[in-house]
Amino acid sequence: IGPALELRERLKEKDDLKEIDKINQNSKQLLRLVNQLLDLSKLEANKLPVNIEQIDIVKSIKQIIENLKPLAANKGINLIFEYPIEKLKILFDRDILEKILNNLITNSIKFSESGCMIDVRLDVSTKSREFYINVTDNGHGIPKEEIRSIFDGFYRSSFTKFEQGYGIGLAYIKELVNLVNGNIEVSSELKQGTRFKIRFPLTLADIILENDLEENIKDVVEPVIPEEVREESDGKKIILVIEDNKEIR
């Protein structure tokens, strides 16, 4: 990468600069792939460290989104971020957060076409002391029979015909999520899009913030609960339906 950057400084022709930029881009992609493989090896050996620090989760995700917007814009994709509060300081590993979201959003960009939208949403539950990050796109979608396998290492789904892939990204994401005691789920429909839901434990950086948090967050999200019929003590049955669409609620 270094020699390519030095060579770029000496070249003047636009065509030469474009070729050097391709070399630089491919070199960075290869470096990311190697780093992911090294991290996966460390994860399997339980040797990847977790560095907890105080971060503003809203600001951190905003920065990740801003860094990825040019990549999305180049494909004509609208990348947006929704959040319920302007500022929230928590204790978390900044590097792991960046790796998870960079890989997940890049993956969504890769398998979405021009005109698509990728929505990243942060939600917080003060009751369950968890926060959630949803990454939703309206891209190609994933075949139902393949959803269970997409987090397996080196698994390449049939939908990779749209873009070249190595089958590492999602396995890497899942291992990182597990490392910080989180959970990741996916729902998808062909030609409709895909939603990744990530749940993380919430540890506030300052206990004083808890009252402010409960006052400011009006739409608190609770853990995802499937439709079910519950038996009440009086023998009557009630149906609990969970709906995440504000307009329908």
Side-chain angles (χ1 to χ4, degrees):
I1 296 176
L5 292 176
E6 292 178 3
L7 183 59
R8 193 184 193 286
E9 294 296 323
R10 297 198 298 268
L11 295 175
K12 303 297 181 183
E13 296 294 330
K14 288 185 177 180
D15 289 341
D16 292 336
L17 291 174
K18 287 182 180 179
E19 293 302 317
I20 288 295
D21 287 340
K22 287 181 181 178
I23 293 173
N24 188 37
Q25 182 179 354
N26 291 336
S27 298
K28 287 181 178 179
Q29 182 178 355
L30 182 59
L31 179 61
R32 284 194 297 269
L33 180 61
V34 170
N35 286 334
Q36 288 180 9
L37 288 170
L38 290 173
D39 279 351
L40 276 172
S41 297
K42 293 178 182 178
L43 285 164
E44 291 174 358
N46 295 318
K47 291 185 177 179
L48 188 68
V50 176
N51 300 308
I52 301 298
E53 60 180 313
Q54 178 176 301
I55 67 170
D56 181 344
I57 186 67
V58 179
K59 182 179 179 181
S60 296
I61 297 177
K62 277 183 179 180
Q63 187 60 57
I64 294 169
I65 298 296
E66 287 302 314
N67 290 340
L68 290 173
K69 275 189 174 181
L71 180 64
N74 284 339
K75 288 192 67 175
I77 295 170
N78 186 23
L79 176 59
I80 63 173
F81 176 39
E82 297 182 85
Y83 44 95
I85 194 169
E86 289 294 330
K87 185 177 182 181
L88 178 59
K89 291 185 178 180
I90 66 171
L91 299 179
F92 205 76
D93 187 308
R94 186 191 307 272
D95 184 55
I96 288 179
L97 176 69
E98 290 179 357
K99 287 176 177 178
I100 290 171
L101 289 184
N102 273 323
N103 277 277
L104 196 54
I105 297 170
T106 300
N107 192 70
S108 291
I109 294 173
K110 182 187 297 185
F111 296 109
S112 297
E113 296 178 340
S114 178
C116 288
M117 182 180 74
I118 298 174
D119 177 68
V120 181
R121 179 174 176 84
L122 170 69
D123 287 306
V124 180
S125 171
T126 56
K127 291 183 179 179
S128 64
R129 302 193 70 82
E130 294 173 329
F131 70 95
Y132 311 86
I133 300 176
N134 290 345
V135 178
T136 306
D137 66 60
N138 56 348
H140 300 296
I142 306 169
K144 186 176 180 180
E145 64 274 13
E146 298 184 7
I147 288 180
R148 291 185 178 181
S149 302
I150 62 172
F151 292 112
D152 296 341
F154 302 102
Y155 179 81
R156 294 190 65 203
S157 171
S158 60
F159 69 86
T160 57
K161 64 184 180 181
F162 296 104
E163 290 282 351
Q164 183 179 4
Y166 300 97
I168 295 174
L170 290 176
Y172 179 57
I173 291 168
K174 185 175 182 180
E175 291 296 331
L176 290 174
V177 170
N178 290 340
L179 183 63
V180 289
N181 300 315
N183 180 64
I184 183 169
E185 299 175 351
V186 59
S187 57
S188 186
E189 188 174 342
L190 280 177
K191 299 181 181 180
Q192 297 297 320
T194 303
R195 173 180 293 178
F196 287 92
K197 304 177 183 179
I198 316 176
R199 172 187 55 79
F200 294 111
L202 174 66
T203 305
L204 296 174
D206 188 343
I207 195 64
I208 298 176
L209 292 175
E210 186 162 1
N211 291 333
D212 293 337
L213 182 62
E214 293 183 356
E215 290 176 3
N216 286 296
I217 295 182
K218 304 301 182 183
D219 187 17
V220 176
V221 173
E222 298 302 324
V224 177
I225 306 173
E227 286 192 9
E228 61 180 353
V229 177
R230 295 184 176 177
E231 192 79 23
E232 291 283 28
S233 58
D234 61 1
K236 295 181 180 179
K237 292 181 178 181
I238 62 172
I239 298 177
L240 173 65
V241 181
I242 303 301
E243 175 57 61
D244 60 1
N245 188 316
K246 291 182 180 179
E247 300 298 329
I248 296 178
R249 283 206 305 270

